[in-house]
Amino acid sequence: MRVEVDRMACAGHGQCSATAPAVYELDDDGFCLPVAAVPPGAEDDAEAGAAACPEQAIEVAP
């Protein structure tokens, strides 16, 4: 599974991390960090975190 974060579109709401903390981490300013790998079994969480982003700054693909 591939997760791409558009850091320019991220507004730092933190909804991705609040929804899926095992997948999405935030930097010191509250912006989503790039996702290197989705932990095994957290695929649904990755999709839920992306869906929670109000800016639609996260794309999840198989």
Side-chain angles (χ1 to χ4, degrees):
M1 173 169 272
R2 179 181 54 81
V3 177
E4 290 190 22
V5 177
D6 182 345
R7 302 229 344 137
M8 296 300 292
C10 178
H13 296 288
Q15 294 302 305
C16 56
S17 181
T19 302
V23 178
Y24 299 102
E25 295 182 40
L26 305 178
D27 67 13
D28 292 339
D29 295 319
F31 293 92
C32 187
L33 293 169
V35 176
V38 176
E43 293 82 4
D44 289 343
D45 289 342
E47 292 180 10
C53 177
E55 305 300 330
Q56 299 179 334
I58 303 170
E59 180 181 333
V60 178

